[in-house]
DNA sequence: GAGACTAGGTGTACTGTGTACACCTGTCAA
DNA sequence: TTGACAGGTGTACACAGTACACCTAGTCTC
């Protein structure tokens, strides 16, 4: 008589669907329970708590990332793997925020990380260089970077237009960029004028190309002088 | 008779000190009020709400970033400015999280952004290239990147050591990196084995060096083919 | 001085959150 | 038949942010 009985699986799936539709902030234990036609505390039989719920959701998302077929070229393989990760994470907007908020790694995250690392090492990069390039990738390895410009200037409604008009005077350089982007993009605002996908790939390629150069130069991390890889120079 | 009367200034300062000491999660309107020997609602006469409080705190932190003295070399200027930002943000650990959670820009953020942009443009980089390089920097421009490896594997206490022992088998590539880092660093864990500052500067330099190369090549963004700057090649 | 205005601290109360804990109930093994 | 147990229920608590009505002390004007 019970409606399709609960399970961790079903809890996670419903939570994800809800977060997809209503946003991660709208997802509370109570709402989720309601969504499942169940009393809030019922969830705790399948999930240790909210933290565990979020961990579980991330686990599912990361598990959805499909591996790339090896081409033999590490750079291309890494590129495709990360763009594939991006596709997955973009389907679930909330995962960016949640992933960032997590402080411990889940098994699926470790798997992804390890396989990505493997692409570099198997491609011939030194362990040393691979390590630092992974750091350089940062969260980009998950398929997103901080879309900083997505943050529009303060929208106090009142001061907004004022600030917008004053922008060229107060922030001439930002105005230049905004206008250039507006020329190629949709409208004049700082954010939506940018092509997220393009920006992402640009940044990704800067890092991968840098890695390739350092690799070709047999770069090795100095005995921690903290001066970085300052030996890349054009020509 | 009133103890040193409240002010937005004092509210923000106290909030920052509290967050510095107790962490951002411990900071609630009620705790903050208590800290100021005042009833919670008193804060709302100086701050519109919690969001505004956080915005204000960020405003102060970002305002603390000191400008660099121009050397005439854009790359070095940018580098120093960002490392200076890093120094400031590192003093207030919580600012990383808060900055990321903000969805709108505050005036101080716009100022910083504009001045950073100016360093590129005044250095001779095209507006186009500057734009994309800013994106490539991402949050690194604020002095932090996602310290991904800071997240240790699940610490279930029980499964932790098990997982640690099994790591070389299940995640051979991560194990390689961990061992290499342990050799140079402190202990064998994935996180603390890394020198945060070094990693940060490495990543920063990869991006800046990439920018320099593209600049020297008179790079220009293709008519949005979304294929990125794939024309950097060693030799 | 007298009254009004006001900036700013107070008190109470409401909604929403995560979750501890005791409880009930249906299923299945012995 | 029994009784263990997996899993859904109900109540209750502490904590969050904040709306709203209130009080109070200082200042400004006549």
């Amino acid at each position: 008589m019970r409606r399709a009985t609960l399970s961790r699986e079903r809890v996670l799936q419903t939570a994800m669907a809800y977060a997809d539709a209503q946003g991660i902030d709208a997802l509370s234990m109570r709402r989720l329970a309601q969504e499942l036609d169940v009393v809030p505390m019922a969830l705790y039989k399948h999930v240790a708590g909210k933290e565990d719920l979020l961990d579980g959701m991330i686990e599912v998302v990361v598990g959805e990332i499909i591996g790339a077929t090896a081409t033999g070229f590490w750079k291309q393989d890494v590129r495709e793997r990360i763009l594939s990760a991006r596709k997955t994470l973009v389907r679930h907007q909330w995962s960016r925020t949640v992933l960032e908020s997590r402080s411990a790694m889940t098994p699926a995250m470790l798997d992804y990380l390890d396989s990505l690392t493997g692409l570099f090492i198997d491609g011939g990069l030194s362990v040393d260089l691979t390590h630092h390039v992974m750091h350089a990738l940062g969260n980009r390895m998950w398929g997103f970077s901080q879309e900083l410009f997505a943050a529009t200037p303060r929208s106090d409604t009142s001061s907004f237009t004022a600030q917008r008009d004053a922008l060229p005077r107060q922030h001439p350089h930002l105005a230049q960029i905004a206008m250039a982007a507006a020329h190629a993009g949709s409208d004049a605002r700082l954010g939506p004028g940018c092509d997220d996908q393009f920006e992402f790939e640009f940044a990704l390629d800067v890092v991968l190309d840098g890695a390739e150069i350092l690799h070709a130069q047999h770069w090795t991390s100095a005995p921690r002088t903290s001066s970085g890889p300052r030996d890349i120079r054009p020509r």
Side-chain angles (χ1 to χ4, degrees), chain A:
Chain A
M1 202 80 344
R2 291 250 169 289
R3 48 176 54 261
T5 145
L6 236 46
S7 71
R8 184 177 172 95
E9 184 82 11
R10 214 160 83 82
V11 169
L12 293 181
Q13 227 67 45
T14 309
M16 290 177 61
Y18 192 83
D20 282 347
Q22 314 290 334
I24 194 68
D25 286 339
L27 180 71
S28 73
M29 297 302 268
R30 290 174 143 91
R31 304 288 267 282
L32 178 54
Q34 194 174 321
E35 207 72 5
L36 286 159
D37 250 327
V38 117
V39 93
M41 288 313 293
L43 301 176
Y44 288 78
K45 287 281 151 66
H46 303 274
V47 148
K50 180 139 199 207
E51 289 295 282
D52 185 41
L53 174 71
L54 294 175
D55 276 348
M57 292 167 70
I58 284 298
E59 199 66 358
V60 174
V61 171
V62 175
E64 278 178 9
I65 301 174
I66 52 158
T69 43
T71 64
F73 299 96
W74 66 266
K75 214 168 106 175
Q76 194 174 335
D77 285 350
V78 169
R79 193 169 195 275
E80 272 170 26
R81 190 129 175 67
I82 293 183
L83 289 182
S84 153
R86 176 173 174 82
K87 246 187 240 153
T88 305
L89 286 248
V90 161
R91 268 205 305 278
H92 307 289
Q93 297 287 359
W94 47 269
S95 54
R96 197 190 69 101
T97 321
V98 176
L99 196 92
E100 273 170 351
S101 75
R102 245 74 295 272
S103 62
M105 292 239 181
T106 65
M109 285 170 76
L110 282 171
D111 285 348
Y112 174 74
L113 227 62
D114 188 74
S115 99
L116 192 63
T117 310
L119 290 180
F120 286 108
I121 294 180
D122 294 347
L125 271 70
S126 76
V127 172
D128 190 16
L129 178 57
T130 299
H131 175 189
H132 300 299
V133 167
M134 292 285 287
H135 272 287
L137 276 172
N139 266 355
R140 193 135 39 229
M141 73 174 69
W142 297 110
F144 63 87
S145 38
Q146 298 319 119
E147 324 281 10
L148 246 220
F149 292 94
T152 48
R154 291 255 123 251
S155 53
D156 294 348
T157 326
S158 65
S159 73
F160 179 55
T161 36
Q163 202 172 27
R164 181 195 217 155
D165 293 351
L167 189 122
R169 217 185 323 278
Q170 290 187 340
H171 303 109
H173 305 108
L174 291 183
Q176 274 184 277
I177 281 183
M179 268 156 62
H183 163 255
S186 38
D187 67 355
R189 277 187 300 153
L190 235 50
C194 306
D195 179 340
D196 277 356
Q197 183 72 24
F198 180 88
E199 300 306 344
F200 180 82
E201 296 193 16
F202 177 92
L204 176 56
D205 287 330
V206 164
V207 173
L208 290 183
D209 290 337
E212 189 171 47
I213 293 176
L214 291 173
H215 175 48
Q217 292 174 345
H218 304 101
W219 178 91
T220 165
S221 71
R224 294 295 156 91
T225 67
S226 97
S227 74
R230 318 220 72 226
D231 36 7
I232 320 181
R233 283 291 136 71
R235 175 171 4 272

